[in-house]
Amino acid sequence: MNPKLKKGLSISLVAFATLLVALVLVPFAFQGKIASIAKKQVNSMLNAEVNFDRANISLIRKFPAVSVKLESFSIKGQGEFSGDTLLASENVELVLNLKSLFSDTGYEIRKLEFDNPKVFAHVLPDGKANWDIMKEDTTQAPDTSATKFHLKLKSFEITNADILYLDEEGNMKAEIHKLNHTTNGDLTADSSLLNTSTSIETLSFWMDNVKYLSDANVEMKAAINANINKMVFAFSENSSRINAIPFSFSGWFQMLDEGYDMDLKLNASKVGFKEILSLVPAIYANSFEGMKAGGKVSLDGFVKGKMVGDYYPSFDLNLKVADGWFQYPNLPQSLRDMNIAARIQNPGKTLDETVVDIPVFMFVMAGNPFSASMHLATPMSDPDLKLAAVGKIDLGKIKDLYPLEQDTKLNGLLDMNLQLAGRMSYYDNNQYDKFKFAGNMNIRNMVAKMESLTQEVSISNASMSFNNRFVDLSDLQMKIGRNDLSAKGKLENFVAYALHDKILIGSLSMNSTYFNANDFIPKTEPSPAKKNEGDVKPAAGASKTTVFEIPKNINFSLLAKFNQLVYEKMNFTNASGTMTIADGELKFKEMGVDAFGGRLNLNGVYSTADIQKPTVNLNLSLDNVVFTEIFKQVETVQKLAPIFEKTTGKFNAKFNLNTLLDSNMSPVLSLLGADGSLSTSSIGVKNVPALTALASALKRSDLSNTTIKDLFVLFQIKDGKLYTKPFDVKLNDAKMNIGGSTRLDKTIDYAGKIQLPDRLKLGQLSTFNFKIGGTITKPKVQVDLAGTLKNVSDETKAKVEAEVSKKVDEAKTKALEEARLQKEKAMKAAQEEAARIREQARNAGDKLLAEAKTQGDNLVAKANNPIAKKAAELAAKKLLDEARKKAADLNAKAETEADKLIQKAGEKATIGK
């Protein structure tokens, strides 16, 4: 090889290697610096939190420019928008001028790319927007010299963006899925030609809860002459498409400091009836390419003026269709004589000036003509609406003109004649006489089965008549799958409800022979089970239930009767009662059902007034309910009272219950509260692990399987536990008192006392204290033998003390008896002696009296004359008085001596001496 060539090749290889190393290593020198400056600069400019995981810098990816890729980029709101993430993008790539890396004037951004961004644009009811995040400094002009990043864009790109626009002030919403956009041109020049391309896979738009556009496919390519200084953008060559409708714009659009100014005209001269039909999602999504259509169509419109705050530009959109028709290949019928005249216009200023006028909307299907018209004015302040619809639609003929999906079934006749005219304020002010609402609607022999319906729907008859105040449902007979329902009643305020989201008032009576509520509870796709205590884990692959929301704008009174009513695993029969729906709550009054082998009566309320915290508050009474039936059907019982599975027989119960519900419509058991009572005359328990373990500990196998009579239990559910207050129960010939708690994790904590029968002759060892812990399936029993022995010891000691006391009492009693006998003997002797003394004194006195009387009588007898006789009588009397005095003295002395004897005898025989 030529030496010079060899040398030159070597130098080139070294230079290339050096350049390659530099391209790899140089980014690391700037990576930390640029990331730090980027976060600091952007956050200093915005009233928002800007963040990203890391800045990936490469000199190779966009060589000769520098690529800065911000990974996991996000902009989160602050203040009122703290819950909003305005932008979240997998990557945001900035392409910088390589020379600017080595310059002190800052970094020049030439290209900006967003990869898979998610955008949430949010307008609050007061008009504040979450994208208005630029900081304002009113004290001084902004110092741009300190800015380290300078936009000198030549290209802007968005890939696969999802955008949600929510305007609470205007009651509007838009959803954009998979938006792709590119803009190329010099965005830094005073004027430039910008080439833009935009595609949207699906676009949907709602206003006032009405969906005006559904999953539309959009494409737009436009060359725009941009005057960057004045922010005026004029459309040059452009073409756009919504579904199959091609159109273009002419005119200009200007961005103002406070809003926008525009003069745009819609050009849609190539639109035909088939293209118009592409706006109907069901038609555009089903064999649209092969469909034939014809008719005359004209479509034009404009938007002109300023849009600043609540001030809107004027606009006008006109659509006319004459003699339109369409027919799908291989189908025998066509829809014909379609005529439409529709116009939406506003002279400018406010949206309340908008007028929607559809004087003609008519078609003929299977020989049945149908026509409708509508006029709407002042839609924002006081909607003034005129609406009419007349005609018949034979649902069974749809399959002859529209390719229904396989297994789809449609039959029945819809016949209507409706007229409505008036302002919403008439309804609000109860001026029903000013409002016109009349007509009727009848449905006969309708059958609908399709993929969007989970079950076949059939309506054998539905008759409704309308007037200014109410809708009279005179008859409804329908089936949804196996569920059947008949109803009649009246609905008031129907127009205000349908058009202005006012409260619908109704009074209905409903009857059903079979109704499965599970068929009407919304379900979502399978999701992982929650780990919170009390949450119910769904079966693998099962659909997850969502909360059934009670509408807040419905006020119904329902008199319901169901021969069979199914909810979750519960099967009720002969259900009847009154239900009311109001303010997001469903109330039950005197609802009675045959359930769980017995009868259940309930009053209460199910509330979704706060949809994030649905609640149930019930007052229940259960009569003659079978233990095993309620266990099989109610999951809450399985969690809190698993003993029911092992119990045969029936019981009565009354209790109050309140709980939050989770997203599966199941009670949050950790928050469930209840209190009540349970009673039963006779039940059987068999193979209950806790009883089996207790029977084993007591060596009494007969206690594990037994019959219990006359049971009464007070219980409470609180903090995820079932508490039972201590209650008495008889197990065969053993008596037991027990109370405690069961937890959600099936751990148990019970304590009690059991008394074995006297026939076992265990004496003081027949009564035991015990505790049962562990779990329902693996209980742990502790019998308190030490406590029992202590009780026996204490009782024995008491018995000995009682025996000693008895002996003492007996001795004391004997001594007292002996003392009593001695006292009686002494008293008897004293009394005898006293009687003798008294007798002697009495005899002596009597003798004195007798002697005195004898002496007196002798003196009187010896007297010979009256004077002597009188003197003798006086002497005799004196002798007798003296004898009486002496006799009295003798008796008194004898009585005194006798008393002394008795007193002395009593003192000597005193008890205890």
Side-chain angles (χ1 to χ4, degrees):
M1 182 181 290
N2 189 310
K4 292 183 178 181
L5 179 61
K6 184 176 181 181
K7 182 177 181 180
L9 182 59
S10 298
I11 293 173
S12 298
L13 289 174
V14 171
F16 178 77
T18 302
L19 176 61
L20 183 62
V21 170
L23 291 174
V24 173
L25 296 180
V26 167
F28 292 99
F30 292 92
Q31 186 163 292
K33 179 180 178 182
I34 292 178
S36 176
I37 293 174
K39 284 187 180 181
K40 182 178 179 181
Q41 288 289 314
V42 175
N43 278 291
S44 67
M45 297 165 59
L46 304 178
N47 290 310
E49 180 187 349
V50 179
N51 209 345
F52 51 88
D53 287 351
R54 63 190 293 263
N56 187 335
I57 302 175
S58 172
L59 294 177
I60 299 176
R61 193 161 46 232
K62 300 290 183 178
F63 186 81
V66 180
S67 169
V68 179
K69 185 175 288 188
L70 307 179
E71 299 178 357
S72 299
F73 182 88
S74 66
I75 302 177
K76 296 183 178 180
Q78 295 179 344
E80 295 170 293
F81 299 104
S82 59
D84 291 355
T85 298
L86 174 61
L87 171 65
S89 184
E90 289 184 8
N91 298 299
V92 175
E93 187 170 11
L94 297 82
V95 179
L96 283 69
N97 184 345
L98 178 60
K99 292 182 180 180
S100 70
L101 289 179
F102 306 96
S103 170
D104 294 332
T105 60
Y107 306 127
E108 296 180 3
I109 302 174
R110 297 294 182 89
K111 186 176 182 180
L112 186 59
E113 298 179 3
F114 291 88
D115 185 21
N116 293 312
K118 311 292 182 185
V119 178
F120 178 41
H122 188 189
V123 180
L124 296 177
D126 61 4
K128 294 181 181 179
N130 69 343
W131 61 82
D132 187 12
I133 56 177
M134 294 298 297
K135 287 184 178 179
E136 295 183 2
D137 188 351
T138 59
T139 61
Q140 60 183 2
D143 181 11
T144 58
S145 62
T147 302
K148 298 298 182 180
F149 290 94
H150 305 293
L151 286 175
K152 294 188 177 182
L153 288 177
K154 297 290 192 297
S155 178
F156 176 72
E157 184 174 337
I158 300 174
T159 304
N160 287 335
D162 288 340
I163 301 173
L164 172 62
Y165 171 74
L166 179 61
D167 184 347
E168 295 185 75
E169 181 186 31
N171 197 14
M172 294 183 290
K173 184 176 79 169
E175 291 183 359
I176 297 173
H177 182 55
K178 288 193 176 180
L179 177 145
N180 291 277
H181 173 83
T182 59
T183 295
N184 294 304
D186 191 351
L187 294 172
T188 63
D190 291 343
S191 61
S192 176
L193 179 64
L194 304 179
N195 292 301
T196 68
S197 176
T198 304
S199 67
I200 298 174
E201 185 173 292
T202 60
L203 166 64
S204 298
F205 176 74
W206 295 259
M207 185 168 69
D208 292 329
N209 300 318
V210 177
K211 196 172 188 179
Y212 289 94
L213 202 60
S214 177
D215 294 335
N217 180 260
V218 179
E219 285 187 358
M220 178 180 291
K221 293 182 180 180
I224 301 174
N225 291 310
N227 186 324
I228 305 300
N229 287 336
K230 295 182 179 181
M231 297 301 289
V232 177
F233 303 89
F235 283 93
S236 181
E237 294 183 6
N238 66 93
S239 63
S240 301
R241 174 183 61 80
I242 296 180
N243 287 351
I245 300 178
F247 62 92
S248 63
F249 289 107
S250 60
W252 53 269
F253 179 88
Q254 182 179 13
M255 298 179 66
L256 307 176
D257 291 340
E258 299 295 332
Y260 311 95
D261 194 7
M262 64 201 78
D263 186 355
L264 299 173
K265 183 178 181 181
L266 173 66
N267 301 310
S269 58
K270 297 181 180 180
V271 175
F273 183 55
K274 181 176 180 179
E275 285 74 24
I276 294 295
L277 289 173
S278 71
L279 288 179
V280 182
I283 292 180
Y284 186 64
N286 196 341
S287 306
F288 180 78
E289 293 299 326
M291 184 185 73
K292 296 180 179 180
K296 296 179 181 180
V297 176
S298 65
L299 176 64
D300 60 75
F302 71 84
V303 181
K304 185 176 183 178
K306 293 182 179 180
M307 184 175 179
V308 179
D310 294 333
Y311 192 97
Y312 286 82
S314 63
F315 56 85
D316 193 345
L317 180 65
N318 279 283
L319 170 66
K320 291 183 179 180
V321 176
D323 301 324
W325 63 272
F326 72 85
Q327 184 172 8
Y328 279 90
N330 303 320
L331 292 181
Q333 297 288 332
S334 63
L335 186 139
R336 298 211 168 253
D337 299 329
M338 170 68 79
N339 291 276
I340 302 174
R343 186 177 187 182
I344 303 175
Q345 58 180 331
N346 187 308
K349 190 176 180 181
T350 70
L351 287 180
D352 201 39
E353 301 290 328
T354 303
V355 175
V356 179
D357 191 19
I358 308 175
V360 178
F361 182 89
M362 59 184 301
F363 59 84
V364 176
M365 187 181 78
N368 294 316
F370 181 88
S371 63
S373 62
M374 187 188 78
H375 179 87
L376 175 64
T378 59
M380 310 302 291
S381 62
D382 185 14
D384 185 1
L385 178 67
K386 295 180 181 179
L387 177 67
V390 180
K392 295 181 179 180
I393 297 178
D394 189 343
L395 300 177
K397 298 296 184 181
I398 292 179
K399 66 180 183 300
D400 295 332
L401 59 87
Y402 180 79
L404 299 176
E405 296 179 359
Q406 190 174 6
D407 297 327
T408 296
K409 184 191 299 183
L410 274 177
N411 278 305
L413 183 65
L414 174 64
D415 188 357
M416 68 177 69
N417 186 349
L418 299 175
Q419 298 86 38
L420 182 150
R423 292 181 175 272
M424 187 57 60
S425 59
Y426 298 162
Y427 250 94
D428 294 340
N429 298 321
N430 297 323
Q431 296 173 313
Y432 301 111
D433 56 320
K434 294 183 178 181
F435 205 98
K436 179 183 179 182
F437 186 30
N440 55 73
M441 179 182 294
N442 296 292
I443 301 174
R444 298 284 187 275
N445 301 321
M446 174 183 162
V447 177
K449 180 182 179 183
M450 57 191 69
E451 186 177 357
S452 60
L453 297 174
T454 56
Q455 300 184 79
E456 181 177 294
V457 177
S458 64
I459 301 176
S460 59
N461 184 62
S463 298
M464 292 172 284
S465 59
F466 306 85
N467 62 36
N468 291 3
R469 301 192 62 172
F470 57 80
V471 178
D472 187 1
L473 177 63
S474 59
D475 184 37
L476 172 64
Q477 302 291 333
M478 69 181 300
K479 292 188 69 175
I480 304 174
R482 184 184 168 190
N483 306 283
D484 65 89
L485 185 68
S486 63
K488 61 181 179 179
K490 291 183 179 181
L491 305 178
E492 298 183 44
N493 211 34
F494 179 80
V495 175
Y497 167 78
L499 301 181
H500 215 55
D501 202 27
K502 297 291 185 178
I503 296 177
L504 178 64
I505 302 171
S507 177
L508 297 173
S509 62
M510 301 170 53
N511 291 276
S512 174
T513 60
Y514 176 85
F515 194 86
N516 190 334
N518 300 315
D519 295 339
F520 304 94
I521 297 176
K523 289 179 171 48
T524 59
E525 293 300 315
S527 62
K530 292 182 179 180
K531 296 181 180 180
N532 296 333
E533 185 182 50
D535 289 331
V536 179
K537 183 177 180 180
S543 294
K544 180 183 175 184
T545 305
T546 58
V547 173
F548 179 68
E549 184 173 5
I550 305 298
K552 294 182 179 180
N553 58 347
I554 289 181
N555 188 338
F556 275 7
S557 176
L558 305 175
L559 181 61
K561 183 177 181 180
F562 300 88
N563 291 352
Q564 185 175 3
L565 176 63
V566 179
Y567 175 65
E568 290 190 340
K569 297 180 181 179
M570 294 176 283
N571 193 352
F572 306 131
T573 57
N574 297 324
S576 63
T578 301
M579 295 181 286
T580 59
I581 299 174
D583 302 321
E585 294 184 341
L586 172 61
K587 294 182 179 179
F588 304 92
K589 184 177 180 181
E590 300 301 328
M591 178 66 75
V593 298
D594 290 337
F596 319 125
R599 185 72 178 172
L600 182 150
N601 294 279
L602 68 88
N603 292 275
V605 58
Y606 163 63
S607 175
T608 58
D610 182 352
I611 190 61
Q612 301 301 321
K613 296 179 179 179
T615 61
V616 168
N617 196 326
L618 300 176
N619 187 321
L620 296 106
S621 174
L622 290 81
D623 299 321
N624 291 320
V625 167
V626 178
F627 282 97
T628 52
E629 287 298 319
I630 196 170
F631 178 84
K632 287 189 295 185
Q633 298 181 41
V634 183
E635 194 163 7
T636 303
V637 173
Q638 297 171 13
K639 292 278 186 178
L640 291 173
I643 192 175
F644 280 26
E645 184 182 17
K646 308 293 185 180
T647 305
T648 59
K650 296 183 177 183
F651 69 93
N652 301 322
K654 292 183 179 180
F655 60 95
N656 299 311
L657 179 149
N658 61 82
T659 182
L660 287 174
L661 300 180
D662 62 18
S663 58
N664 293 317
M665 293 284 290
S666 296
V668 180
L669 297 182
S670 59
L671 301 177
L672 185 147
D675 61 88
S677 64
L678 180 148
S679 63
T680 178
S681 59
S682 178
I683 60 172
V685 290
K686 185 176 182 180
N687 298 327
V688 176
L691 283 181
T692 301
L694 179 61
S696 177
L698 297 174
K699 308 301 182 183
R700 287 289 307 274
S701 60
D702 60 310
L703 300 182
S704 61
N705 300 326
T706 185
T707 299
I708 300 174
K709 295 185 179 295
D710 300 325
L711 179 67
F712 181 81
V713 180
L714 294 175
F715 65 86
Q716 182 183 40
I717 300 175
K718 183 180 178 182
D719 301 327
K721 292 183 180 180
L722 170 64
Y723 296 92
T724 55
K725 295 183 178 181
F727 60 94
D728 294 323
V729 60
K730 189 174 182 181
L731 302 176
N732 288 344
D733 53 3
K735 297 178 181 179
M736 183 169 66
N737 180 274
I738 186 172
S741 64
T742 300
R743 292 175 57 91
L744 286 172
D745 59 6
K746 296 186 178 181
T747 57
I748 54 178
D749 183 12
Y750 286 86
K753 179 185 292 185
I754 188 167
Q755 180 180 351
L756 300 178
D758 294 338
R759 65 177 177 81
L760 298 179
K761 298 181 180 180
L762 296 176
Q764 303 303 317
L765 297 177
S766 64
T767 301
F768 295 90
N769 293 325
F770 65 88
K771 292 183 179 180
I772 304 177
T775 66
I776 292 291
T777 55
K778 294 183 179 180
K780 297 179 180 179
V781 174
Q782 294 180 345
V783 177
D784 188 7
L785 293 176
T788 301
L789 292 174
K790 183 178 183 302
N791 292 338
V792 171
S793 175
D794 292 343
E795 188 171 344
T796 301
K797 179 181 178 182
K799 185 175 181 180
V800 171
E801 291 176 349
E803 188 67 23
V804 171
S805 178
K806 180 180 178 182
K807 295 294 185 182
V808 172
D809 290 343
E810 289 177 351
K812 186 175 181 180
T813 300
K814 184 176 181 181
L816 289 174
E817 181 64 18
E818 291 176 351
R820 185 183 65 79
L821 293 174
Q822 291 177 3
K823 179 179 179 180
E824 288 180 353
K825 184 177 181 181
M827 289 296 292
K828 184 178 180 182
Q831 288 172 350
E832 290 177 349
E833 181 64 21
R836 187 184 64 79
I837 293 173
R838 292 188 186 100
E839 182 66 23
Q840 288 178 352
R842 188 167 53 253
N843 291 334
D846 290 344
K847 184 176 181 181
L848 288 175
L849 288 174
E851 290 177 351
K853 188 175 185 311
T854 300
Q855 290 177 8
D857 290 343
N858 290 332
L859 289 176
V860 173
K862 292 178 177 181
N864 298 323
N865 57 60
I867 296 174
K869 189 174 182 178
K870 186 66 175 177
E873 291 176 352
L874 292 173
K877 183 176 182 301
K878 183 176 180 182
L879 287 173
L880 189 60
D881 289 341
E882 289 178 355
R884 287 193 180 101
K885 183 177 180 181
K886 289 181 180 179
D889 289 340
L890 290 173
N891 288 331
K893 289 180 180 179
E895 189 68 29
T896 300
E897 187 177 357
D899 289 343
K900 288 181 178 178
L901 287 173
I902 293 172
Q903 183 178 1
K904 187 176 181 181
E907 289 176 353
K908 288 183 178 181
T910 299
I911 296 174
K913 296 296 183 178

